[in-house]
Amino acid sequence: MTNKRGLYVVLISIHGLIRGNDLELGRDADTGGQTKYVVELAQALGKHTDIEKVELFTRQIFDERVADDYQQSEEDLNDHARIVRFPCGPKRYIRKESLWPHLDVYIDNAIKHFRRQRRVPDVIHAHYADAGYVGAHLANLMGVPLVFTGHSLGREKKRLLMANGMDEATVEKKYEISRRTEAEEVALDNALMVIASTHQEIKRQYSSYENYRIKQMQVIPPGVDLERFYPAKRRGRYPAIINQLKHFLAEPAKPCILAISRADERKNIQSLVHAYGKSERLQELANLVIIAGNRDDIRRMDRGARKVLQELLLNIDTYDLYGKACYPKHHEPDDIPEFYRLAARLQGVFINPALTEPFGLTLIEAAASGLPIVATNDGGPRDIIANCHNGTLVDPLSEEDITQGLLRVLDDPEQWKRYAGNGIKGVKKHYSWDSHVRKYLTTLKKKLRLRRVNRFFEAKRTQIPTAKKFLIADIDNTLLGHEGATERLVEVLKKHQGELGFAVATGRRIESARSVLKEWNIPEPEVFISSVGTEVHYKGAELQLDESWAKHISYQWEPEKIRDLITPLPGIVTQEKAAQRTYKISYFYDPKKSPTAGELRRILRQKNLHAKVIMSHGQFLDIIPIRASKGHAVRFLAMRWGIEPEDIIVAGDSGNDEEMLNGNTLGVVVGNYSKELNKLHGKHAVYFAEKTYADGILEGMDHYGFLEQLEQTP
Ligand code: GLC
Ligand code: MG
């Protein structure tokens, strides 16, 4: 993190509709609080001096049903933050549950973006399961630390849906819950830090996951928009919104008990009305103002809302609260901050009596407006009151407790003043985006240091996306074999570090490849293609196995049957145990006694076994899956990272190098090659060097004008 340029942070939030202005909050299930959260986080990070740039990756959408804004591939948020949109599946707007099959394409689009700007981020922060999947893959491919915020988790969602009577199969079909929870597991497994908004969220949501680790969890509440929610003036005219109360209230300038929530049973407005209706003292001290969404015809609303509103009207009648209670039919989003400020100006109180409250954004908005709070004794409010000391907690199931809580605030002017002041101060300290970002960066830096990733952080991050050209070399008898030659090559690698990517492709297993390179002081490659192309690892904080490659080559692989068939053949002896890998069976063969490669292929085919037979140096015999080989692995990498074959030099000396020397990549056969490679003479883009070992590689680079091109390409 000593990077003088400051950090380059990538936030990923794929689904929904995200833009810099006029967020379409609540348009559908995918445009909830998360979209607001990520935009505000990006803006706030962009303002911090430690940050060079922030990019918020989301999905590019072309759809008549939504605004053109979502088509733009880039949109500035401020001087250091912008939104970047990539295609992901169909062009039209689709729900998040339908995005799963398209996420791999999204990963590749993101990689292309990093390649284009020749820079990888310092941190990737993924939001929600879909981005968690994408972020984990990107972070692994590039050796960059991952931060994850689940926002809400699949397991808890499933539990709630099933508790509400939905059967498992329907939950699965409708919400793709297993894919979602699996993605969450992957994200948790890979994350350096996981950010939750409350302590309870950790306990209730994250702790049931297999990859849950308390150490990676960090509570950093989101910020409230302090430009919208600011304290009321103590004196002077009342905010104009008071006019909306006038046709409900006999004495509109009396203190008020303000409640703002959706018309949802779980918000427990009814207990508040009962408490108020039964308490003469409360009615004497204050009016009751309930903002419960907008309504036209209650009879046409969905069942839950209808029930809540009908009951509200009936109770107001039962307790005869006319002139004391106010429950406006409509309001605009911009009225909300005004309601808080009016209530504060009138020395009232805000109450959230919900049955459960995981976070409680309204409480923070009230606090920012200088309005003391009374809230349900549950996760979110507990954190808020502990941080701000701006009110009191109550049992939402006890009307008496609600009444007492309200009285404690309303009946004590000194206390009221303290609460009001504490709330304003507390929100700035704990719930502003400034404080969020400050805590975010401090914790992140600490975590990076703790894991000593710091040391690797600059040096070990893979440069694949930034390199213009690549050298992929075999190790034994190509890179190594002549000390002076190796040294000469290493010098060239070091000189062009960053722009010339370096990878090895070897028959050795990863551990042995790594240690022999170290022994010869060769810089750590960006990629290891090991065990004859059956394994791919990336450099990073830790070496990272490419599991998608393993999965890809596992196709039609039946190692037991192959072993049973080949091991008894004449002239064939099994290599040591360490040489046997999941996708590689290795033997020594005696060319005088054993079947030829062609005969072996026939033997396998007759038994309906599909595998590749590779002979090297007249003594090694490898059998690997049909989709594997050094050559295939090279192509897989080129595709994965969007590298042109013409920008890759491949160098080798023996049979297991054959496939990678073929094709459009620039092949170099070093002078000391073994005779299996004779058949490559005259092939397109295969150069036979005069010089041997690593000097042969240098000669090949020269032949292709590789380094000159490197200097010329911008
Ligand atoms: C390496 C491996 C060996 C393999 C040979 C040829 O020497 O250790 O298992 O057979 O390369 O690919
Ligand atoms: Mg070799």
Side-chain angles (χ1 to χ4, degrees), residues 338-474:
E338 292 290 308
F339 277 120
Y340 289 119
R341 280 191 285 272
L342 175 64
R345 174 75 170 74
L346 299 173
Q347 303 231 340
V349 58
F350 181 78
I351 178 160
N352 173 346
L355 297 178
T356 59
E357 189 49 81
F359 185 64
L361 188 60
T362 52
L363 293 165
I364 298 169
E365 293 169 350
S369 314
L371 182 61
I373 62 174
V374 171
T376 282
N377 190 353
D378 193 19
R382 258 180 242 152
D383 281 9
I384 294 168
I385 299 242
N387 285 329
C388 303
H389 309 284
N390 65 329
T392 180
L393 296 169
V394 294
D395 172 1
L397 297 174
S398 158
E399 288 158 20
E400 184 49 32
D401 212 36
I402 292 176
T403 306
Q404 290 311 320
L406 290 169
L407 288 175
R408 276 200 293 281
V409 178
L410 289 168
D411 232 355
D412 183 346
E414 283 309 307
Q415 180 72 290
W416 188 96
K417 243 194 243 159
R418 265 197 305 276
Y419 281 158
N422 288 350
I424 295 168
K425 263 185 274 156
V427 166
K428 282 220 179 86
K429 180 150 177 229
H430 300 279
Y431 300 100
S432 70
W433 280 111
D434 283 349
S435 69
H436 180 101
V437 164
R438 235 177 293 130
K439 195 163 172 202
Y440 180 103
L441 291 173
T442 330
T443 336
L444 184 65
K445 286 180 193 173
K446 206 159 64 200
K447 293 226 176 239
L448 290 169
R449 254 194 309 274
L450 272 184
R451 273 195 40 194
R452 260 182 277 146
V453 176
N454 205 16
R455 194 159 47 88
F456 304 114
F457 193 48
E458 289 301 317
K460 280 221 143 172
R461 195 170 51 197
T462 171
Q463 279 156 343
I464 301 176
T466 64
K468 299 177 195 166
K469 290 185 178 284
F470 266 84
L471 165 65
I472 306 184
D474 167 49

Side-chain angles (χ1 to χ4, degrees), residues 199-212:
H199 290 94
Q200 181 175 281
E201 188 188 345
I202 298 178
K203 247 191 265 149
R204 209 169 268 170
Q205 302 233 21
Y206 287 95
S207 69
S208 67
Y209 279 71
E210 278 164 31
N211 289 301
Y212 164 74

